[in-house]
């Protein structure tokens, strides 16, 4: 076999013990809590507990708000990603950094920031209240806004990466044929980056579904109005641990489904 053939093939490597042991410990650290959740789950009463009104209401609210937040992220995040990927302007690096801040910002801090801007005495919230009578904190709309704030960076990063990887010659060819900018964006650009948009939307939806800190800070924890699944888990831990396990299993199942849907793009990527 040639050197090139050996380089192209997969060579079996026997890992040294000094690396294998911490690798196994790391795997156990990540897997054992999930296994514990499965072992302690009340499987015999799982169906009954999932059918309880408060569980169904929290699940319904979570699905609705996460979906609405994803729609808002698509409407705002796709154009923002296009601007960052296609339009050179001074301060682009700063803007990109600001867009990704919610990824590393503690969610509770994000909730406080939303209150300072959109609260009844906030920079924008007081104007909305006085001019239109619109109050956003501690409402279902507040849940959507909190989830949008923490989830949008996932969509922007995914779509911007897809735009930078897309071949610009297709757009140039469409422009040469006389297509306008909006037509190019709608008929050429969007189909080119559709997989990136889909992946970003799924990640965005999953992040919104699991949001806790910004939601409880900005929207509160009111059953039927702002109590989403993560908030219901937090409340159930104090009163009904078995119900908390059931709700956690639902969120775990959603996470597994998201990873399965994105495995080709994120998990198995070289």
């Amino acid at each position: 076999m040639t050197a090139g053939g050996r380089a192209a093939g997969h060579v079996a490597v026997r890992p040294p013990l000094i690396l294998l042991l911490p690798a196994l410990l790391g795997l156990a650290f990540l897997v054992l809590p999930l296994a514990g959740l499965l072992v302690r789950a009340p499987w015999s009463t799982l169906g009954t507990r999932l059918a309880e009104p408060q569980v169904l209401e929290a699940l319904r609210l979570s699905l609705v708000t996460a979906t609405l937040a994803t729609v808002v992220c698509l409407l705002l995040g796709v154009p923002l990603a296009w601007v960052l990927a296609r339009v050179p302007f001074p301060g682009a690096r700063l803007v990109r950094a600001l867009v990704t801040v919610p990824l590393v910002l503690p969610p509770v801090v994000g909730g406080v920031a939303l209150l300072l801007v959109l609260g009844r005495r906030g920079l924008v919230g007081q104007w909305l209240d006085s001019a239109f009578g619109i109050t956003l904190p501690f409402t279902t709309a507040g849940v959507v806004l909190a989830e949008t704030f923490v989830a949008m960076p996932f969509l922007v990063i995914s779509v911007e990466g897809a735009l930078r990887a897309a071949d610009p010659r297709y757009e140039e060819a469409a422009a040469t044929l006389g297509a306008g900018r909006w037509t190019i964006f709608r008929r050429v650009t969007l189909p080119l980056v559709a997989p990136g948009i889909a992946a970003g939307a799924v990640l965005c939806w999953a992040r919104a579904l699991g949001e806790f800190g910004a939601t409880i800070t900005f929207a509160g924890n009111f059953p039927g109005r702002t109590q989403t699944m993560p908030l219901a888990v937090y409340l159930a831990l104090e009163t009904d641990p078995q119900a908390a396990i059931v709700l956690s299993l639902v969120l775990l199942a959603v996470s597994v489904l998201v990873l399965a849907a994105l495995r080709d793009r994120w998990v198995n990527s070289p």
Side-chain angles (χ1 to χ4, degrees), residues 190-201:
L190 285 181
L192 279 175
V193 300
I197 295 176

Side-chain angles (χ1 to χ4, degrees), residues 28 60 67 133 141 211 244:
R60 181 199 64 81
T67 301
E211 169 51 31

Side-chain angles (χ1 to χ4, degrees), residues 34-166:
L34 304 179
L37 190 64
L38 296 174
V39 170
R40 298 296 298 272
W43 295 106
S44 59
T45 60
L46 185 63
T48 303
R49 290 184 176 275
L50 285 175
E52 292 178 357
Q54 62 269 26
V55 173
L56 292 177
E57 183 60 31
L59 178 59
R60 181 199 64 81
L61 185 63
S62 292
L63 295 176
V64 170
T65 55
T67 301
L68 290 176
T70 302
V71 171
V72 175
C73 288
L74 286 169
L75 292 176
L76 303 180
V78 172
L80 176 57
W82 183 87
V83 170
L84 291 174
R86 291 284 193 267
V87 182
F89 59 92
R93 291 185 178 180
L94 176 61
V95 172
R96 187 175 292 106
L98 292 174
V99 168
T100 57
V101 161
L103 290 176
V104 296
L105 190 71
V108 174
V109 177
V112 172
L114 288 172
L115 277 174
L116 294 177
V117 174
L118 298 174
R120 295 188 65 178
R121 297 183 180 180
L123 299 176
V124 178
Q126 60 181 349
W127 174 74
L128 291 175
D129 187 28
S130 61
F132 304 101
I134 297 175
T135 303
L136 295 174
F138 310 109
T139 64
T140 304
V143 176
V144 175
L145 290 176
E147 292 176 349
T148 301
F149 177 77
V150 300
M152 190 183 296
F154 290 91
L155 179 74
V156 173
I157 290 174
S158 179
V159 176
E160 184 186 359
L163 283 166
R164 292 186 179 278

Side-chain angles (χ1 to χ4, degrees), residues 155-237:
L155 179 74
V156 173
I157 290 174
S158 179
V159 176
E160 184 186 359
L163 283 166
R164 292 186 179 278
D167 192 341
R169 289 178 296 180
Y170 293 103
E171 296 169 312
E172 295 169 358
T176 302
L177 295 174
R181 294 180 180 179
W182 171 243
T183 301
I184 294 174
F185 177 77
R186 182 170 53 90
R187 302 291 296 273
V188 179
T189 306
L190 285 181
L192 279 175
V193 300
I197 295 176
V202 172
L203 283 174
C204 182
W205 185 83
R207 180 64 184 89
L209 188 72
E211 169 51 31
F212 174 82
T215 301
I216 198 171
T217 306
F218 183 64
N221 188 10
F222 302 101
R225 189 171 64 183
T226 66
Q227 188 181 88
T228 56
M229 292 280 285
L231 273 63
V233 171
Y234 176 76
L235 184 64
L237 277 174

